[in-house]
Amino acid sequence: MSFPSGAADASVRDGELDERRPPRLVAWLPAAMVAALLLLIWVRTDTPVLSVLWYLVCFALVVTLPGLLVRRLALGRAGDLVDELALDSVTGLVLLTPVWAFAATIGMPLLLVAWPFLLGAVLLVPRRTRTRIVTASPSEHVPSVASWLMALAATGVVIAWGSGFAASTQLPPGPLDWYSDDYWHLGLAAELGRGVPPTTPNVAGPTFMYHWFANANIWTMSEASGLDLVTVYARLWEPPLRLLAVGLAYVLGRRVTGSSITGALAAVLLAFGTELRLTWFSFPGHAALNLHSPSQLFGLLILLFVLILLFDLYAGRAGRGQLSLLVAAALSTVGAKSSIPPVILTGTGLAWLRTVTARWLGPVDTTVRRATGAFGLGLVTIVAGMVFAAGGAAGVSPQLFAGARITPAWAVLTGVKEHVIESLVMPGLERPHALIVLALLLAHFLMSFVWLAPAWSLLRRGVAFAWLLLGVGIGGFLAMLLLNQDGSSQVYFMMGALPALQVLALWGLRDATRRARALVSGQTVRRAVLAGALVGALVATLLAALSRYSFIGRQPSRGFLVETLGVSLLVGLALAATAAILLRARPGTTMGVILSTAVVVASVLPQIVTALRGRPSVTLLLVISAALAIMVVAGNRAPRDSIAVIGVLATALSVWSVLPRLDQASTTKPFKSAVSAEELDALRWVADHTPADDLVATNMHCTAKRTTPHCDARGFWVTGFSQRRALVEGWAYTAEAHAMQGVGGLRSTRQPFHDQALLALNERAFTAPTAATIDELHRRGVRWLIADLAAGPVSPELASLAHEAYSSGSMTIYQLR
C-alpha cells in the first residue's frame, strides 16, 4: 500500500532501484485496491457499511490517535506513513489495555471514549511536547515496488480472512454454524467487560487463567464504538489488526535491512508463510497467521513491536521513551499470548550468549550491557508470566518430539492418534521403523527451512540482532518439539516465532545484494536477483509437481508413504547440497545473490499461488517463471511498471477467487449443531433484558446439543450470545478437563464434568425441578434458566416454580423469583 510522504527512500538513494516518485493518485492506487477488496468482502458477508465506517473512525480515535501522541514523544519521527500508522496503532493497543482494565474495574466504559481527549489535553498543553508531536511527521515515501508488494501482502491476509473466517462465521438472524472456539471467544469477550480479573464464563466461579488481552480488546472496541459485540467479533475486529500485522512486518524488515522493498517482502512472507514442502504432508508452524485465534493475532502484533524496539536497543538508539515502551510491550506479551514470552527469552538469551563469548567466537556489533539488559527483560517477562499465569496450564505438559506426533505421516505410519496421548516421550517410538520415520520427519522439517541459509553471513560476522532473531526461531521450534498440548496448540510457539526467521532470511538476502553492489553494477545485481527469482520459481514448480503427484486424495498406505518419504528425502538432500554451496560461496558475489534469492522465492511463491487461487497451480507457477525469464532478458528497465501490472492482475485474480468461495459458504447448509434463529433470538433477548452480572443456568453443554456420555463438551453458544456467565455450560476448556486428557482413551473435550454433583443439580432444575432445587440455584447466584428442548427434555413443572419471561419455539427462559 502506498502512502506518499516526503523525501526519497534509502533504497532509492543507494542505487538499489532507479525509480521516480509516482504521481500522488497513482501512489495511492495499491492501498485503494486493497480497501475496495476488503469493502467488497464486508458487503458480500452482510456487514452494514455504516457500521464498518463508524468502527474504523472509532479505531482511529481510540487506538491510533493516542498511540500517535505517545509514540511521537517516545520514538520521534517515523520513516514513512506505513511506519507511522503501524507504530501508532500498536502503541495505542498497548496503552489501551490498562485503560480498559481501569474502566472495567470502576464500571465506567465511557472512559474508553474520553481517554484520547484526556491524553491529548495532558500532552498538547505544554508547548514543548506540542511542538515535538506536531513536527515529528514522516520524512520519506514508500517506493512503488514496495507499495505493490505491500498490497500483495494485504490482499493475502484479507483473502484468507474473508474466504475463511468471515464466510464461515455468519451474522444474525441465523441460523449460525460457527467454529466452537468462536462462541467461546465471544463469551470471553463479554466476560472481560465485567471486571478484572475475569472469572470462567462457562463454569462460573474460578478466576480465568488465560491470555485474554485480545478478548478484552474486542469488548473494548465494541463498547467504544457502541456496535454489537457479535458484529465486532465476527466482522470488524480482525481485518484492521491483520493489516496492522502486515504493516509491522514491513517496519521491522525496513528497520533491520534499511530497505523499504525488503521490508515489504517481509510483509509478503508473513502474509503467506514460508515453506519448502517436499511431499504432500507438512510439518506445522510454517505460517504466522491463522483463523479462529484472536490471541495469536494480538500476540503477534506485540511480538513484532517488541522486536522493533529491541533492534533499536541493540543498535544503541534507545532513549528513555523507547525503553519505557519496550518494557510495556514486553509485559503485554504475558497477557497477549503465553507462547510469546518464551521465544523472547530464547532470542535475547542466545544474543546475550553470543555477546559474552565474543572473546572466543569473534567480535559482535553490540555491547554486553545492552545484550544483558535485553536478556534481563526476557527473564522479567517470563517471571511476570508465572505470577500473572496468563495461560494457566491449558493442557500443556512436557513430551519429547510432540511436534512430530501431530503430523499426518506419523499417524499413518504408527497408527498412534495424537489427541489422546500423554507421556514424557512421544508414544509409538517402540514400533518397527518408527525411529527412522521420526528422523525423516525431523530432517524434512529442517530442510523446509533451507531458506534461512542467506543469514549465515550475518551470524558469522557477529551481528547480535541476527542471533536474537535466530534464537526466537529456535525457541519456537524447541517448544513445539518438547511441549505437548491436548489441542495441539504447541504449534503456536513456532507460528509466533516464524516472522523473526523470515526477517532474518531477508536481511541475509539484502546483505548479499548490498555487498555485491560494491563489486558490480546495480544493473548486474538486479539481473542476479531476477535470475534467482526465476530459479526459485522453477524449484517451486518442481516441488509443486512432486507434491501433486504424491498426494492421492485419500489416506495413503504405509508402503506408499514410505516411498514418498524416500523420494522427498532425495529431493531434500539435493536442496541441502544447494544450501551448502550457498554457505560456502562468498555472500557478496553474484552467485550468492542468485542462490539467496532462489531459496527465499521457492519458499514463498507456492504459498502465494495457493492463497490467491485457493489451490496449488503448477500452470500458474510456470507462467510466473516465464514472466521472470522475460524480465531477466529485458534487464528489468521498468520495474515499477512491471510490478504495478502484476499487482493489478494479482488483485483481480484474488477477487475472482474469493467471491465464489464467499457465495458457496453462504449457501452451505448448516450442520445439526447450528444455532437456530429462534435460539439466537432467545439468547439475544437475555443479552438485552437482563443485568450484565446475572448468572444463568442452561441445559445445553455439548456441540451436538444433546447431553450424552462423553459428548464433545464445547457447547459455548449460550454464554457467547447471551453474554452472561453460566453456572455450568460447556466444560471442555476447564483446568480439570485438561488435566484428564487421555483418561479412558478420550480427549479432554470428551471428559465428564469434574463436579458431578453440581451438574446433577443443574440438570434436575430442567428435568425434575423442585422448590428445593430452584432455591439452591438461587442461593448459588442463578437468576435465569435458559431451557432448550433441542438439548433435552424440560419438565412442565418448571413453569410453576419460576416465572416464564420468554418463549419461542424450542427456547424458554425462566426468571427465578
Side-chain angles (χ1 to χ4, degrees), residues 9 56 91 189 204 253 262 304 353 355 404 409 541 586 612 625 634-635 688 808:
D9 178 80
L56 295 178
T91 301
T262 312
L304 290 170
L353 186 62
T355 303
T541 304
R586 294 176 57 194
L612 295 184
S625 302
D688 294 337
S808 176

Side-chain angles (χ1 to χ4, degrees), residues 429-697:
L429 289 177
E430 73 285 353
R431 304 202 176 195
H433 311 298
L435 289 175
I436 296 176
V437 173
L438 175 61
L440 289 174
L441 289 175
L442 294 178
H444 176 274
F445 182 73
L446 293 176
M447 289 175 186
S448 69
F449 280 89
V450 71
W451 46 269
L452 273 173
W456 170 250
S457 178
L458 296 169
L459 299 170
R460 181 175 53 83
R461 298 205 311 268
V463 180
F465 194 71
W467 282 95
L468 183 145
L469 295 175
L470 179 64
V472 169
I474 291 175
F477 171 69
L478 290 178
M480 185 177 71
L481 202 64
L482 301 177
L483 295 177
N484 173 48
Q485 201 273 341
D486 53 19
S488 301
S489 292
Q490 66 266 33
V491 299
Y492 285 115
F493 289 93
M494 189 69 237
M495 291 170 61
L498 186 63
L501 297 180
Q502 293 170 340
V503 170
L504 179 59
L506 291 173
W507 193 2
L509 173 59
R510 168 67 175 166
D511 181 68
T513 59
R514 182 178 291 158
R515 297 174 69 186
R517 197 180 304 114
L519 302 175
V520 297
S521 67
Q523 178 69 5
T524 301
V525 174
R526 286 194 293 273
R527 284 180 180 269
V529 170
L530 288 171
L534 175 59
V535 172
L538 292 174
V539 170
T541 304
L542 171 64
L543 295 179
L546 290 175
S547 298
R548 172 177 288 186
Y549 173 76
S550 300
F551 181 63
I552 56 179
R554 57 184 173 83
Q555 186 83 322
S557 65
R558 296 188 183 185
F560 181 83
L561 184 54
V562 171
E563 179 183 345
T564 58
L565 276 172
V567 172
S568 70
L569 178 61
L570 292 176
V571 176
L573 288 174
L575 290 173
T578 304
I581 295 173
L582 171 63
L583 294 177
R584 291 176 61 86
R586 294 176 57 194
T589 64
T590 303
M591 181 56 65
V593 172
I594 293 174
L595 293 174
S596 298
T597 306
V599 294
V600 173
V601 170
S603 71
V604 70
L605 190 56
Q607 301 3 288
I608 296 175
V609 171
T610 300
L612 295 184
R613 286 186 56 86
R615 59 187 181 276
S617 174
V618 174
T619 302
L620 187 55
L621 284 169
L622 288 173
V623 171
I624 294 173
S625 302
L628 288 169
I630 294 172
M631 294 174 73
V632 171
V633 174
N636 192 31
R637 296 184 181 278
R640 182 180 64 202
D641 298 335
S642 302
I643 296 294
V645 171
I646 293 173
V648 172
L649 292 177
T651 305
L653 177 64
S654 301
V655 174
W656 174 81
S657 172
V658 73
L659 291 184
R661 280 182 271 172
L662 290 175
D663 293 338
Q664 182 181 7
S666 64
T667 57
T668 300
K669 292 183 179 180
F671 297 123
K672 293 181 180 179
S673 59
V675 180
S676 67
E678 59 188 25
E679 288 170 332
L680 181 62
D681 287 342
L683 296 176
R684 304 276 278 181
W685 182 91
V686 174
D688 294 337
H689 294 86
T690 65
D693 291 329
D694 274 7
L695 183 67
V696 305

Side-chain angles (χ1 to χ4, degrees), residues 229-273:
L229 184 65
V230 176
T231 303
V232 170
Y233 176 74
R235 289 293 181 274
L236 303 175
W237 182 79
E238 191 164 327
L241 297 193
R242 280 183 162 254
L243 295 177
L244 178 55
V246 168
L248 288 171
Y250 165 83
V251 174
L252 178 61
R254 184 183 186 276
R255 291 283 183 92
V256 169
T257 67
S259 166
S260 292
I261 294 174
T262 312
L265 287 172
V268 171
L269 266 59
L270 177 133
F272 294 100

Side-chain angles (χ1 to χ4, degrees), residues 129-333:
T129 58
R130 182 172 67 249
T131 301
R132 185 174 179 181
I133 290 172
V134 172
T135 58
S137 58
S139 58
E140 301 170 2
H141 81 281
V142 182
S144 289
V145 173
S147 297
W148 284 108
L149 288 172
M150 286 280 288
L152 175 63
T155 298
V157 298
V158 167
I159 289 291
W161 174 81
S163 61
F165 183 89
S168 63
T169 311
Q170 310 86 1
L171 290 178
L176 309 184
D177 187 28
W178 291 11
Y179 177 50
S180 58
D181 280 11
D182 291 318
Y183 301 132
W184 184 74
H185 282 293
L186 183 64
L188 182 55
E191 172 65 23
L192 268 300
R194 287 189 276 264
V196 183
T199 62
T200 305
N202 313 100
V203 180
T207 300
F208 188 61
M209 312 301 281
Y210 185 74
H211 37 252
W212 34 255
F213 281 7
N215 305 86
N217 189 260
I218 293 168
W219 178 85
T220 298
M221 294 309 302
S222 172
E223 194 68 27
S225 63
L227 297 173
D228 179 45
L229 184 65
V230 176
T231 303
V232 170
Y233 176 74
R235 289 293 181 274
L236 303 175
W237 182 79
E238 191 164 327
L241 297 193
R242 280 183 162 254
L243 295 177
L244 178 55
V246 168
L248 288 171
Y250 165 83
V251 174
L252 178 61
R254 184 183 186 276
R255 291 283 183 92
V256 169
T257 67
S259 166
S260 292
I261 294 174
T262 312
L265 287 172
V268 171
L269 266 59
L270 177 133
F272 294 100
T274 39
E275 178 188 12
L276 283 176
R277 181 179 295 192
L278 308 180
T279 185
W280 62 270
F281 68 88
S282 175
F283 221 97
H286 289 283
L289 295 171
N290 71 330
L291 303 175
H292 310 292
S293 179
S295 60
Q296 167 64 13
L297 175 58
F298 199 80
L300 181 64
L301 299 178
I302 307 301
L303 174 63
L304 290 170
F305 191 31
V306 169
L307 292 177
I308 292 168
L309 296 173
L310 280 174
F311 178 73
D312 287 340
L313 174 64
Y314 276 80
R317 296 194 296 265
R320 290 183 178 179
Q322 287 169 302
L323 291 176
S324 298
L325 275 182
L326 175 58
V327 172
L331 293 178
S332 295
T333 63

